[in-house]
């Protein structure tokens, strides 16, 4: 049967990695955060606690993420082989926590 062995992904399948880019903007190091999911179907509606990103010395890419009082809403789907990343500046890496997402299978 088609789709057997595939499971629906949830917010807990979304992973992220944060790394310094080497740039410094107005005295703040720049970081790149990359969100990924091993899911065969696109994962949408990804919402992440991201307090501190709104204080970035350079604007966050509005085509990729929308900021709402400490919450980042990813504006593009992610799936296996199709991660989403953006940069921000901060004196310390932001403590991201995914709390909402749904697979579109």
């Amino acid at each position: 049967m088609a789709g057997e062995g595939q499971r629906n992904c949830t917010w807990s399948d979304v992973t992220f990695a944060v790394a310094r880019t080497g740039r410094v903007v107005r005295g703040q190091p720049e970081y790149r955060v990359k969100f990924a999911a091993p899911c065969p179907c696109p994962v949408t509606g990804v919402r992440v606690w991201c307090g501190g990103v709104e204080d970035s010395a350079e604007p966050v890419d509005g085509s990729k993420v929308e900021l709402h009082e400490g919450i980042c809403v990813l504006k593009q789907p992610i799936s296996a082989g199709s991660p989403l990343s953006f940069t921000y500046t901060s004196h310390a890496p932001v403590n991201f926590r995914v709390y909402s997402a749904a697979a579109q299978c």
Side-chain angles (χ1 to χ4, degrees):
M1 179 177 256
E4 265 187 47
Q6 289 185 1
R7 61 181 182 82
N8 261 348
C9 292
T10 66
W11 64 269
S12 63
D13 294 297
V14 176
T15 61
F16 62 89
V18 179
R20 285 182 73 157
T21 66
R23 287 186 62 217
V24 175
V25 179
R26 291 188 218 131
Q28 293 182 353
E30 182 183 68
Y31 295 89
R32 177 174 307 281
V33 59
K34 179 178 172 182
F35 292 91
C39 309
C41 302
V43 178
T44 61
V46 179
R47 287 176 164 61
V48 182
W49 297 108
C50 64
V53 169
E54 66 274 359
D55 298 327
S56 180
E58 66 181 0
V60 174
D61 186 342
S63 71
K64 295 181 178 182
V65 66
E66 195 173 304
L67 301 174
H68 295 283
E69 298 178 8
I71 298 171
C72 290
V73 179
L74 303 188
K75 295 173 91 174
Q76 299 171 11
I78 56 176
S79 60
S82 184
L84 176 91
S85 66
F86 64 89
T87 58
Y88 67 93
T89 62
S90 180
H91 290 292
V94 168
N95 182 20
F96 292 94
R97 289 186 324 259
V98 179
Y99 76 89
S100 175
Q104 301 302 307
C105 291

